[in-house]
Amino acid sequence: MTSQPTPTKASHGPGGPGEPGGGLQAGLKNRHLSMIAIGGVIGAGLFVGSSTGIATAGPGILLSYALVGTLVVLVMRMLGEMSAANPNSGSFSAHADRALGRWAGFSIGWLYWFFWVVVLAVEATAGAKILEGWIPAVPQWGWALIVMVVLTATNLVSVGSYGEFEFWFAGIKVVAIGGFIVVGALAVLGILPGADSDKASFGNLTDHGGFLPNGPGTILTGVLLVVFSFMGSEIATLAAGESEDPQRAVTKSTNSIIWRIGVFYLGSILIVVSLLPWNDPSIKEKGSYVAALDSLGIAHAGQIMNFIVLTSVLSCLNSGLYTASRMAFSLGQRGDAPKAFAKTTSRGVPTAAIVVSVVFGFVAVFFNYKFPDSVFLFLVNSSGAVALFVWLVICFSQLRMRKIIQREAPEKLVVKMWLYPYLTWATAALIVFVLGYMLTDTEGESSGRTTVLLSLLVAAVVIVIALVKEKVRGKRPAPAVEAEADKVSVG
């Protein structure tokens, strides 16, 4: 695929080319966007969290992944429809702003920002634990500081440097999972030379208590365990605003989401539960992927997987900082955050938005080390259901935006949601059902009920602030930047 010449600036933002405050620039190449889209669905949660799901639902966890994967495909189709018509660094927040009202864009934008700054702390700590195990001379907090500083510097240089780092991080994840699937499939088929594959067989899917050994109800329990590992699929639509061909990038990432989830999630988990019995103690002790590799007698499987998990953690950190800063930039641009957030350097970097996001990330890291069971636990629980809130807002935004686009610029509908509006309503109903089912989970400090209730509390506070802000501001015209963006998108 031949790249088009890189424009001086992206499709939105005030100012002139090369001037401070000149807006975001189109510094992401087509190969960057392709790998960001692929890598966005492969989070560290897939490697780390899948063992709990397997232990809970057995081979039936495949149905949990398939159910959530279908949900993500539908939500991404809706988001793709809106973002292809109007590529924007604010993505679903900007769409909600126009479709549902300023309060909606403000609320979901800040909740999403809050989610990612908490993720920064979680991932920095996870990466620091791995690095400390390799080089114990540097304390864990020191490693957390180092990785945060390095990736902050990367994001501050230019969007191209973020894209280049993410290209290689995502590339390693893709190659690793691809290699795992190939090696595992050969072992299951009994044609992998030199491997100890006595336990490997597709019979493991049914031979140990059946496909659903703990009953069909565990499918929904599995959904709660795996749903949050899919967060990040939407990053490609935010990044598209800084790409060479935003509409093409969004269309391509939207159309490829089905095979990406099918291969990387369902494919790799199918291999794991085929290589060894779902109730093998090593799955919980070592983690599902490490246990699967160990079962084949592959040397240094633990260290290999630690390296892959570290890569996923760094990728998530890199993308989390980028995503949080671009959402802050978009909020600043629309007058829903300090105007300084919307200012950019001559390279199109929103410095203030990046610095403020990483400062909150550092504060959260401090809370993780100083108050892990109180303040930090509250932060994690209160941001836990934001993914589902975001998906729900995307559903309702798409219901309104389809009519707006059809009325003002029907030629912009290059991506269309299937069976509109019926499938959109069905998707929204499924998300509400998952949130309701989470309320029945009452076990542990991070139970589903705790997560939903605390997330709803934070969301309510943000919505009240948004409504008060809107009332104080009054019904004034949208900022010039937003009005101009609307002209470009649907005019």
Side-chain angles (χ1 to χ4, degrees), residues 71-83 90-96 99-100 104 108 112 231 233-235 237-238 386-402 417 420 424 427-428 431:
L71 185 62
V72 172
V73 167
L74 295 174
V75 170
M76 282 299 297
R77 187 75 185 181
M78 297 177 221
L79 182 56
E81 176 181 297
M82 295 184 289
S83 295
S91 189
F92 50 84
S93 173
H95 304 322
L100 305 177
I108 204 63
Y112 190 69
M231 193 65 168
S233 306
E234 71 292 332
I235 292 175
T237 63
L238 280 86
V386 167
L388 293 168
F389 295 166
V390 166
W391 296 347
L392 198 57
V393 167
I394 288 172
C395 292
F396 292 129
S397 297
Q398 190 265 338
L399 287 169
R400 295 287 299 278
M401 280 299 290
R402 166 68 76 89
M417 176 59 182
Y420 170 85
T424 301
T427 304
I431 294 169

Side-chain angles (χ1 to χ4, degrees), residues 160-405:
S161 62
Y162 154 72
E164 199 62 34
F165 266 70
E166 192 55 27
F167 176 82
W168 292 105
F169 285 151
I172 291 172
K173 290 190 291 185
V174 169
V175 170
I177 291 193
F180 174 82
I181 291 173
V182 170
V183 170
L186 291 175
V188 172
L189 295 173
I191 55 177
L192 183 66
D196 179 13
S197 53
D198 294 340
K199 294 182 179 180
S201 167
F202 285 122
N204 285 325
L205 296 174
T206 56
D207 288 348
H208 304 276
F211 187 69
L212 295 169
N214 297 323
T218 54
I219 296 173
L220 290 176
T221 305
V223 166
L224 305 187
L225 295 172
V226 307
V227 66
F228 303 109
S229 66
F230 283 84
M231 193 65 168
S233 306
E234 71 292 332
I235 292 175
T237 63
L238 280 86
E242 295 176 81
S243 69
E244 299 165 347
D245 189 347
Q247 189 178 77
R248 183 180 181 183
V250 169
T251 303
K252 187 175 179 181
S253 65
T254 301
N255 290 337
S256 64
I257 187 72
I258 296 176
W259 73 260
R260 286 185 275 137
I261 289 176
V263 171
F264 297 125
Y265 277 84
L266 294 178
S268 63
I269 295 297
L270 173 62
I271 294 299
V272 169
V273 293
S274 298
L275 284 175
L276 71 174
W278 69 271
N279 54 1
D280 191 303
S282 64
I283 291 180
K284 292 196 75 173
E285 293 169 5
K286 303 176 182 177
S288 52
Y289 288 80
V290 174
L293 289 175
D294 271 346
S295 72
L296 299 178
I298 295 177
H300 309 296
Q303 291 305 320
I304 293 171
M305 193 50 60
N306 273 338
F307 173 74
I308 295 169
V309 172
L310 177 63
T311 302
S312 295
V313 164
L314 295 177
S315 171
C316 193
L317 263 173
N318 195 36
S319 290
L321 182 54
Y322 171 82
T323 304
S325 65
R326 273 17 179 217
M327 186 58 73
F329 168 85
S330 179
L331 288 166
Q333 204 181 30
R334 287 178 274 142
D336 290 332
K339 287 295 183 185
F341 287 8
K343 292 182 179 179
T344 59
T345 67
S346 59
R347 293 185 177 184
V349 176
T351 304
I354 292 174
V355 170
V356 170
S357 298
V358 82
V359 164
F360 273 86
F362 278 128
V363 171
V365 169
F366 169 76
F367 286 144
N368 193 9
Y369 286 112
K370 196 71 176 175
F371 311 106
D373 299 322
S374 53
V375 180
F376 187 72
L377 186 63
F378 170 80
L379 292 177
V380 172
N381 286 336
S382 61
S383 64
V386 167
L388 293 168
F389 295 166
V390 166
W391 296 347
L392 198 57
V393 167
I394 288 172
C395 292
F396 292 129
S397 297
Q398 190 265 338
L399 287 169
R400 295 287 299 278
M401 280 299 290
R402 166 68 76 89
K403 296 176 182 177
I404 294 172
I405 299 169

Side-chain angles (χ1 to χ4, degrees), residues 110-128:
W110 278 113
L111 285 171
Y112 190 69
W113 178 87
F114 173 56
F115 170 85
W116 278 111
V117 295
V118 174
V119 167
L120 291 180
V122 173
E123 300 296 341
T125 304

